[in-house]
Amino acid sequence: MLKIHERYLNDFKIRDNSTTREEVLAGLFIDKFIAQNQTLIVGEYASKNLPDIVVADKSFGWEVMRCEHYIDFLHKNATERLKEIDFDYNTYLKEKKDENSIFYKVPLRITVDNGKITSTSTGGHFHSIDWMYGEYTVQLSKKLEKLNKGNYRNCEKCALFVLSLSRALDKSSVDVFQKALLTVSQYYEKLFCNVYLLTTSGIYEVKQSEIINTKLFKDDEYSIVINEMKNLLKIDQYL
């Protein structure tokens, strides 16, 4: 069962914050597919030296980390701006000349039909098999640094739950994540007891010696959890 701290529900600014969405979404997936028989609490104050999600007795917890390439975040922002201008191609061309515009910053590849932009992509960027390796190592290092400084010391055991949802990832991408985890882990004495990677296709437990398919999503299982998160937080935004 998932319990969301009241501070996450009573204030719209907190409720609609990307960090809140990520933690609640992670909590829902953990509740449904990893710790089904536990009471999970999301949103305890960081000052209590606890991870983002904990079981009721604080014996176990999960720190949540969102890890995407910066270009995907920019692409998301560009898509939101396209919606605001009603996908008008002429407006896009005009704004693209402004160095403060999101269109100036993001190298989009687009298709146009009757003056309307019908599809976009990031121009073929980052399609090599290890394109996320650098970002994984940077973000994993930040979390391991906090773990070794005692930021989660009031939780007996702490796992890491990583969200990587901007692109569909195949098995080779999970292998790259494992490679990054192995590289970074050698520099720290204390490690997370479990590491999970959530993708749009499933949940993987990533160990040093193997990758376990904890859950491979079928039919609408992934989108059902996304909609549940939106309903809980009373928001329209995904992530």
Side-chain angles (χ1 to χ4, degrees), residues 113 129 132 190 234:
D113 183 29
I129 196 169
M132 275 292 290
K190 191 172 184 179
K234 298 179 176 63

Side-chain angles (χ1 to χ4, degrees), residues 181-197:
L181 181 64
L182 287 170
T183 300
V184 172
S185 296
Q186 63 184 311
Y187 299 107
Y188 295 92
E189 179 180 351
K190 191 172 184 179
L191 303 176
F192 291 100
C193 59
N194 304 87
V195 178
Y196 296 93
L197 178 66

Side-chain angles (χ1 to χ4, degrees), residues 143-157:
K143 290 299 184 182
L144 282 167
E145 192 74 27
K146 289 182 178 181
L147 178 69
N148 281 267
K149 286 182 177 179
N151 286 37
Y152 320 120
R153 60 181 174 271
N154 289 333
C155 185
E156 292 178 30
K157 294 182 179 180

Side-chain angles (χ1 to χ4, degrees), residues 9-24:
L9 300 176
N10 293 341
D11 187 323
F12 177 75
K13 289 184 178 179
I14 296 177
R15 200 170 71 236
D16 195 41
N17 181 275
S18 61
T19 299
T20 300
R21 296 195 296 267
E22 291 161 11
E23 292 176 10
V24 172

Side-chain angles (χ1 to χ4, degrees), residues 2 5 20 30 60 97 99 114 124 155 159 165 182 188 200 235-236:
L2 186 69
H5 196 282
T20 300
I30 293 168
F60 200 97
K97 298 175 182 178
E99 64 181 19
N114 291 325
C155 185
L165 307 174
L182 287 170
Y188 295 92
T200 56
I235 57 173
D236 295 324

